[in-house]
Amino acid sequence: MTASSRPHPGFTAAQVDLTFPFHLLFDKDLHIGHLGPSLARTCPDVAVGSLLNTHFELLRPEIQPTFEGLCSATNYVTLWQHRASGLSLRGQTLLTEDMDKLILLWKPWVEDNAELLQYGLQLNDFALHDAIPDMLQVIQAQKIAFQDVRKLAQKLQAQRAELTRAHQDLQEQYELLSQSRENLAKKEEETRKLAMIAACTDNVVILTDAQGRVEWVNAAFSRTTGYTLEEARGKAPGEILQGPQSDPWVINYMAKQLERGLGYKAELINYTKSRQPYWIQIEVQPIINEQGDITHFIAIERDTTEARNFRESLKKATEQAKAANAAKSEFLSNMSHEIRTPMNAVLGLAQLLKRETLTETQSDMVRRILAAGQSLLAILNDVLDFSKIEAGHLRLDQHPFDLADVLDKLDGLTRATALGRGLEFHIHLGPGIGGLWLGDALRLEQVLLNLVSNAVKFTAQGSVSVEVKLLEANPERSRIGFEVRDTGVGISPEARAKLFTPFTQADSSISRRFGGTGLGLAISRQLVELMGGKIEVESQEGVGSRFRFELPLRPAGEGAIRPDGPTPNTVDQEPRLTGLRVLAVDDSRMNLDVVERVLTAEGAIASLSADGQQAINLLRGQPDGFDIVLMDLQMPVMDGMTATRTIRQELGLLDLPIIAFTAGVLETQRETAVRSGLNDFLAKPIEIEALVAMVQRWTTRRLPVPQPCRAAFPPDSGESSRLPAIPGIDHERAAQTLGQDRDFFLDLLGRLISDYANAAERLRSQLAAGQTDDAARLLHTLKSNAGHLGAMPLVNATLALETALLEGQTDLETPLMTFTRELNALIQAGRTWIRPTEPA
Amino acid sequence: MYGMVTKAIGEMVIERFGDDAWDEVKRKADVDVDVFISNDGYPDEMTYRLVGAASELLNMPVEDILIEFGRHWILNTAMEGYGPLIRAGGQTLPEFLEQLPNFHTRLSMILPHLSPPRFVCTDITEHSLNLHYHTHRPGLTPFVLGIMQGLGTLYATPLNITLTSSKAEGADHDVFHIAWSTPEAA
């Protein structure tokens, strides 16, 4: 091959070194013939003449690094490694023209900048056409760029986090702001409303700064004081409003409070612009901002001049009225005493004179003196009563009383007079009014006496009747109607108009004919009104009149104590039930004995039955044989309510009064009793007067003419008449039932001890066996028997146990123990006085 | 200019005056860039504004800023990012300077938007050469001076640099006469 036929012209060795600084020439024996300058520098261990494979390892391709093998790889990319340094050399293999040498055209193969230093490579180790340094630059630039991007990303992330935080802060701020705006709007609205109120109120409103200088006043301020806002602004209110009569102590107090920043209330005199004084009540409060500083004071003033003046005049009037009242009371008291004293003397002397032996004329004179004196006393009482009522000094009593007693008294005071004038006289107490009521019995008597006396006075012929009815039953407040009817002269409409006017009668002729002060009806009207009622009158001249009033009365309730009645019957008093046929029904022999004694003493004819069936049998045989029945409720064989129903329904005795003899514990028992046909209730233990009054009340029409009768009880004749002093016995109670009959008392005591000595054990057995009815009956009977004897502790203990049993209480131990204790105490105390009798 | 330049300015300011100072420089120069991406292009005038703002805020003449920047460019930026390549540029300062033209040529190939200056070394002796600095960018002569000083420090070769021809004074290009006393291997 000639030089001219070479495809390319030949290069010089220097050009080859420049172009391929890492070239290497070797022969067929693999001896190195020549190295490029950079190869020689970077691989100093490689010497010309040394074996190729000693210094360099063929990594790619995987062929035998023989001359022949390498000849076959001239078309492959080769990768060698300098064994000593590890430098990788990439390149290709060329066969020389004479075909007995091979040239390795290498470039150092590095992957990053650091390897340049590692292998001691320089830029001029790379041919100008070699892009490896450029690639390294690119790689490094990219690495740096990635670092920049990463840094940017981190910064962005941090900024984002900060932004998020800032956003949250902003959000919170926004919410706070919104809240503040809302609060502000609310406060503004509130302020607006308050400003409106302040502006429109009639009270003076003053707003000052923290130093107490006026900033604002409302219209009422200008109206009241005469000062405008401009005149007041900037001044302390006291400067323009206070004056000579303004209390300096109050002014000083107000100033001190302001200094301390405290609110206050005060009353003092202010002055208008025209220096007119007026009283104010002032309230001042500080206004404090959110930082706790006082920004303003607000004062509200109310003109109290009129109120003060009114208070003063009221005080004066009250004092005057009190003085007048006191003077009046003193006058009444003095007059009452001054008049009564000589009147008592006149009447007393007249009565004494009456007992002397007098001629007929003298007796007549004494009678007239007495009548006149009593009239005068009555007039005096009327006048004093009237004055008391007018002066508001009359006080009504609120004590338990029995309406039957009131009517009894009324009857006693007026019947004789009525009958004496040839009039019919009736007093009727309606059903359901039995028992005690709370009120002033005396004043009620006074009213009824006045009305009945008038009726009797103004009735020449015919009748006078009194009716008392229960109009409405209510445990708190019942209504009771009272009516007084007469067939008298009647009252004209003109006279009726002024009937209740004090000091007037129907007409002047009445006072001439009938006398009287004209105060009676006025007093009655006022008394009825004081008691919560109102008197009405209906009348027809020549026919008669009817006076009626209603009173609200409250039942006295369980446990109310009947007021002391009249003293027990004595020798001088006449029997009160003479001829009455009374059927007493009770399973207790002791009870029957007591009732029989009382009835007999009062002149009644007593029949006795031991149970309801016996009573039915008696009544069936003698339907008209009795005037009244006294019926115990709890009895064996047939109880009282069943017997009553039978009497009403089977025997048809609807008009026969049947009175329940019981201490019915529960209200429901009373109601049931009334529904069964019973008319009234009589409490056990029996009280003579109550028994007599009850019988009398229910047998009024049947009362025959009273006849003398023996005394109910033996006269008081010394020791044997007195009841023994036994612990647990109330003598007064016992005497009310038994009188002073000691023997009768001891007999009853002996029977009680005999019959009930083992009552506690019997009760326990009955209760254990569930025989509650038997136990209740035992307690019921014992209670009434003990009551006859006045054994109140035992009565109360028995009542408590009976109540607990009937109410269905499960724990009876406590009341049972109390009952046992009281029973044993009475028995022990009583045994020293009696010899026990055989049990009944 | 590529981001590596403005980034390098920032690094220099931060190193000497702190982060707040650099933030202030950027604010004053109206530069709203948090992180400069090294191989991303930015307007030349941004670099001028940053240099101007730094001069004002740091109370240093612009020339001093640029000289300092040139030194920083070699001793910090180039060495940190491209240390081995810089070192591969030559074992001695004269070698490096002789390779400078090739260096910039290679740079322009891999950074297509780079319009690098052109350096030509003439009158090369054992102890001096003339470095011809051709650029279309005005005012960066102090920067090149700083680079030369940095290279002198890098190669531990005390240099004596004289601007023998100034474009600012009407010459075609800047010519630096660089003389050294005892060149040592880097």
Side-chain angles (χ1 to χ4, degrees):
Chain A
M1 187 191 286
T2 63
S4 61
S5 65
R6 292 185 205 138
H8 300 284
F11 295 106
T12 65
Q15 285 173 324
V16 173
D17 283 343
L18 193 64
T19 313
F20 299 101
F22 276 87
H23 73 270
L24 186 142
L25 182 73
F26 61 96
D27 61 17
K28 282 186 177 178
D29 298 323
L30 301 182
H31 285 111
I32 295 169
H34 182 71
L35 297 89
S38 294
L39 184 62
R41 189 175 60 75
T42 56
C43 306
D45 60 316
V46 179
V48 171
S50 57
L51 280 172
L52 173 67
N53 290 330
T54 303
H55 300 288
F56 300 97
E57 180 186 356
L58 177 63
L59 300 177
R60 294 275 191 280
E62 290 176 359
I63 54 172
Q64 287 297 317
T66 58
F67 188 82
E68 291 73 24
L70 290 169
C71 281
S72 70
T74 54
N75 290 333
Y76 295 126
V77 175
T78 59
L79 186 65
W80 293 82
Q81 191 177 53
H82 177 227
R83 292 184 195 273
S85 66
L87 175 65
S88 299
L89 295 157
R90 174 195 186 277
Q92 65 188 112
T93 312
L94 286 178
L95 187 60
T96 56
E97 207 172 15
D98 56 10
M99 297 177 73
D100 59 355
K101 294 183 193 61
L102 284 168
I103 295 180
L104 293 167
L105 298 174
W106 282 340
K107 297 179 189 178
W109 184 248
V110 291
E111 291 174 359
D112 64 47
N113 284 348
E115 288 185 33
L116 289 175
L117 282 177
Q118 182 184 349
Y119 299 116
L121 293 168
Q122 301 288 318
L123 273 181
N124 53 15
D125 288 328
F126 298 86
L128 291 173
H129 64 81
D130 191 346
I132 284 187
D134 307 326
M135 296 309 296
L136 290 175
Q137 191 95 328
V138 168
I139 291 168
Q140 186 61 19
Q142 279 181 344
K143 274 187 189 169
I144 293 171
F146 285 144
Q147 282 170 4
D148 293 339
V149 168
R150 209 173 297 126
K151 191 174 165 186
L152 179 65
Q154 282 168 357
K155 202 150 187 167
L156 281 174
Q157 203 149 356
Q159 282 177 348
R160 190 174 129 183
E162 208 174 302
L163 208 62
T164 304
R165 270 194 304 276
H167 181 260
Q168 276 171 355
D169 286 345
L170 210 61
Q171 192 72 21
E172 280 167 21
Q173 292 290 330
Y174 177 74
E175 278 167 8
L176 278 171
L177 190 64
S178 295
Q179 189 70 29
S180 297
R181 273 203 194 129
E182 231 177 85
N183 291 345
L184 188 65
K186 274 185 194 160
K187 276 197 179 142
E188 276 174 0
E189 176 62 18
E190 234 174 72
T191 306
R192 191 185 64 79
K193 281 180 183 166
L194 288 170
M196 213 159 66
I197 292 169
C200 297
T201 179
D202 283 339
N203 289 332
V204 167
V205 179
I206 304 172
L207 189 69
T208 73
D209 59 18
Q211 285 69 47
R213 302 278 160 188
V214 173
E215 274 190 7
W216 178 83
V217 296
N218 67 344
F221 173 89
S222 300
R223 279 199 304 274
T224 304
T225 65
Y227 289 106
T228 62
L229 171 58
E230 285 65 39
E231 287 170 326
R233 189 179 277 134
K235 300 191 171 82
E239 276 176 41
I240 52 174
L241 297 178
Q242 285 159 14
Q245 290 185 57
S246 306
D247 190 334
W249 188 90
V250 174
I251 294 171
N252 191 41
Y253 164 74
M254 294 196 302
K256 281 211 160 46
Q257 290 296 95
L258 282 179
E259 266 175 53
R260 290 183 199 135
L262 299 173
Y264 61 86
K265 280 185 192 174
E267 199 167 0
L268 78 162
I269 291 179
N270 266 6
Y271 286 80
T272 63
K273 191 174 176 182
S274 57
R275 307 320 289 168
Q276 291 301 312
Y278 64 99
W279 276 95
I280 58 154
Q281 223 172 44
I282 179 171
E283 181 172 350
V284 175
Q285 290 296 340
I287 296 177
I288 300 172
N289 63 12
E290 285 175 0
Q291 286 74 41
D293 301 321
I294 294 176
T295 58
H296 298 84
F297 286 96
I298 183 161
I300 299 178
E301 296 178 359
R302 195 166 59 89
D303 189 337
T304 56
T305 310
E306 213 171 291
R308 275 187 86 94
N309 290 342
F310 179 73
R311 270 204 309 269
E312 288 297 328
S313 54
L314 194 64
K315 193 175 161 186
K316 228 178 255 177
T318 306
E319 279 162 11
Q320 281 169 359
K322 277 184 184 166
N325 228 13
K328 195 171 180 180
S329 296
E330 198 179 336
F331 171 76
L332 285 174
S333 171
N334 288 342
M335 286 315 297
S336 170
H337 179 260
E338 294 304 320
I339 294 175
R340 280 182 196 278
T341 306
M343 278 307 305
N344 282 335
V346 166
L347 289 171
L349 289 169
Q351 281 177 347
L352 283 170
L353 188 59
K354 191 180 166 190
R355 293 188 184 185
E356 301 295 323
T357 308
L358 301 171
T359 65
E360 196 175 316
T361 308
Q362 285 166 340
S363 290
D364 185 50
M365 285 180 186
V366 168
R367 266 198 305 276
R368 286 185 187 187
I369 291 170
L370 278 170
Q374 280 163 354
S375 281
L376 194 55
L377 205 57
I379 291 168
L380 173 66
N381 287 337
D382 276 358
V383 170
L384 288 175
D385 272 351
F386 182 76
S387 299
K388 265 193 208 169
I389 293 171
E390 283 280 290
H393 285 198
L394 193 95
R395 296 282 178 265
L396 295 179
D397 282 336
Q398 289 292 315
H399 288 134
F401 72 95
D402 193 331
L403 269 171
D405 289 343
V406 170
L407 293 182
D408 281 346
K409 254 193 200 167
L410 178 70
D411 187 283
L413 291 169
T414 53
R415 177 177 289 277
T417 310
L419 294 178
R421 287 167 63 80
L423 300 174
E424 286 181 35
F425 187 73
H426 309 284
I427 294 182
H428 183 244
L429 180 67
I433 310 184
L436 299 179
W437 299 87
L438 279 177
D440 192 328
L442 195 66
R443 295 298 173 180
L444 178 59
E445 273 171 34
Q446 185 177 348
V447 171
L448 288 171
L449 185 61
N450 175 256
L451 294 177
V452 171
S453 298
N454 283 346
V456 169
K457 188 160 57 169
F458 292 104
T459 304
Q461 60 184 23
S463 64
V464 171
S465 59
V466 178
E467 185 130 8
V468 180
K469 272 192 234 177
L470 175 66
L471 299 177
E472 185 187 327
N474 187 301
E476 289 301 312
R477 195 169 287 273
S478 299
R479 280 191 309 120
I480 305 210
F482 298 84
E483 192 176 280
V484 176
R485 272 202 309 269
D486 67 61
T487 55
V489 296
I491 311 165
S492 68
E494 298 76 24
R496 276 207 302 278
K498 48 184 179 173
L499 200 61
F500 296 100
T501 308
F503 304 112
T504 59
Q505 297 223 2
D507 58 60
S508 54
S509 65
I510 297 291
S511 69
R512 286 195 297 279
R513 275 176 65 197
F514 298 101
T517 57
L519 282 179
L521 283 176
I523 292 171
S524 295
R525 180 184 65 101
Q526 286 177 328
L527 285 175
V528 166
E529 284 174 5
L530 276 175
M531 287 189 275
K534 191 180 172 192
I535 283 191
E536 291 166 347
V537 59
E538 287 169 17
S539 186
Q540 200 174 344
E541 286 180 278
V543 176
S545 304
R546 186 169 79 161
F547 286 79
R548 50 195 295 272
F549 61 93
E550 289 176 17
L551 289 183
L553 286 178
R554 192 174 151 202
E558 294 281 345
I561 297 172
R562 183 179 294 277
D564 289 341
T567 52
N569 219 343
T570 64
V571 178
D572 291 328
Q573 285 193 352
E574 294 172 345
R576 294 170 284 183
L577 304 177
T578 306
L580 277 178
R581 299 161 301 168
V582 183
L583 172 59
V585 189
D586 198 316
D587 63 329
S588 163
R589 186 69 224 179
M590 193 188 295
N591 284 348
L592 286 178
D593 284 350
V594 170
V595 167
E596 188 188 27
R597 214 168 230 263
V598 171
L599 289 172
T600 307
E602 291 292 339
I605 303 164
S607 301
L608 308 176
S609 294
D611 59 52
Q613 188 58 60
Q614 286 184 21
I616 299 288
N617 295 341
L618 260 181
L619 284 167
R620 191 173 275 122
Q622 304 172 62
D624 293 322
F626 298 97
D627 298 308
I628 187 169
V629 177
L630 303 176
M631 181 80 77
D632 186 22
L633 291 186
Q634 292 190 18
M635 294 179 290
V637 183
M638 184 185 283
D639 65 82
M641 280 193 264
T642 308
T644 303
R645 272 195 294 276
T646 309
I647 291 170
R648 297 293 185 218
Q649 291 166 13
E650 277 189 36
L651 302 186
L653 300 176
L654 303 174
D655 289 334
L656 177 62
I658 305 177
I659 309 299
F661 229 3
T662 189
V665 181
L666 302 175
E667 189 57 32
T668 48
Q669 286 180 324
R670 284 176 170 262
E671 289 168 4
T672 310
V674 169
R675 277 200 298 274
S676 70
L678 288 156
N679 295 104
D680 213 338
F681 294 87
L682 193 58
K684 282 184 184 176
I686 302 158
E687 290 181 16
I688 299 173
E689 295 307 311
L691 173 63
V692 170
M694 182 68 73
V695 171
Q696 281 182 330
R697 188 180 313 137
W698 285 99
T699 57
T700 307
R701 290 179 194 167
R702 303 177 189 227
L703 263 182
V705 177
Q707 288 177 17
C709 184
R710 66 174 174 85
F713 298 103
D716 185 359
S717 56
E719 180 69 23
S720 61
S721 301
R722 297 186 191 280
L723 300 181
I726 298 174
I729 297 292
D730 182 339
H731 288 148
E732 280 185 28
R733 283 273 185 152
Q736 280 177 4
T737 308
L738 309 174
Q740 292 292 341
D741 191 337
R742 178 191 175 96
D743 293 335
F744 186 41
F745 173 84
L746 290 175
D747 176 48
L748 290 182
L749 179 61
R751 277 200 262 172
L752 185 138
I753 292 173
S754 294
D755 293 346
Y756 296 102
N758 62 349
E761 289 77 19
R762 277 156 54 195
L763 274 171
R764 283 191 185 276
S765 301
Q766 285 165 344
L767 291 173
Q771 298 165 347
T772 50
D773 288 344
D774 294 339
R777 198 174 307 116
L778 187 154
L779 289 168
H780 185 79
T781 310
L782 171 58
K783 184 179 65 186
S784 65
N785 293 344
H788 295 317
L789 293 167
M792 298 321 295
L794 178 57
V795 168
N796 291 335
T798 310
L799 177 62
L801 180 55
E802 185 186 11
T803 304
L805 183 63
L806 290 174
E807 285 179 351
Q809 292 181 25
T810 51
D811 183 7
L812 298 173
E813 191 54 37
T814 303
L816 190 53
M817 282 175 60
T818 306
F819 163 80
T820 306
R821 185 179 67 237
E822 295 301 336
L823 176 65
N824 290 340
L826 179 67
I827 291 171
Q828 190 174 355
R831 276 196 173 132
T832 61
W833 291 89
I834 53 98
R835 190 170 53 196
T837 59
E838 293 298 321
Chain B
M1 282 192 204
Y2 272 86
M4 63 180 72
V5 174
T6 41
K7 179 179 158 188
I9 296 174
E11 285 167 355
M12 183 194 77
V13 171
I14 288 170
E15 186 186 287
R16 286 195 60 187
F17 301 100
D19 288 319
D20 291 344
W22 175 232
D23 288 338
E24 189 58 27
V25 166
K26 281 197 292 183
R27 191 194 63 76
K28 192 164 181 59
D30 195 24
V31 170
D32 186 19
V33 176
D34 279 325
V35 176
F36 291 99
I37 306 301
S38 298
N39 59 350
D40 210 0
Y42 298 88
D44 284 356
E45 56 91 21
M46 181 188 285
T47 308
Y48 286 115
R49 288 208 310 273
L50 285 167
V51 170
S55 163
E56 208 174 308
L57 279 166
L58 305 175
N59 204 24
M60 283 172 67
V62 171
E63 292 75 15
D64 290 350
I65 294 277
L66 286 172
I67 290 172
E68 188 60 38
F69 179 49
R71 290 174 58 78
H72 186 274
W73 175 255
I74 290 296
L75 296 173
N76 297 91
T77 308
M79 286 307 293
E80 282 169 12
Y82 306 95
L85 274 168
I86 300 289
R87 291 282 188 191
Q91 287 191 333
T92 65
L93 179 62
E95 277 183 26
F96 183 88
L97 289 175
E98 283 183 48
Q99 289 296 321
L100 205 54
N102 278 339
F103 194 80
H104 278 95
T105 302
R106 287 180 191 279
L107 271 181
S108 66
M109 284 189 290
I110 62 173
L111 300 171
H113 301 295
L114 183 74
S115 53
R118 187 165 62 87
F119 290 97
V120 178
C121 293
T122 63
D123 307 305
I124 301 172
T125 68
E126 196 179 344
H127 297 285
S128 69
L129 60 79
N130 286 328
L131 182 67
H132 298 258
Y133 167 50
H134 299 267
T135 182
H136 64 279
R137 295 187 179 95
L140 295 180
T141 306
F143 176 55
V144 174
L145 179 60
I147 287 175
M148 294 301 123
Q149 288 178 2
L151 284 169
T153 305
L154 180 67
Y155 284 99
T157 304
L159 296 179
N160 190 357
I161 306 169
T162 314
L163 185 64
T164 55
S165 173
S166 170
K167 190 173 178 185
E169 290 172 3
D172 178 65
H173 61 277
D174 295 328
V175 178
F176 295 91
H177 177 74
I178 304 173
W180 56 89
S181 52
T182 311
E184 296 173 16

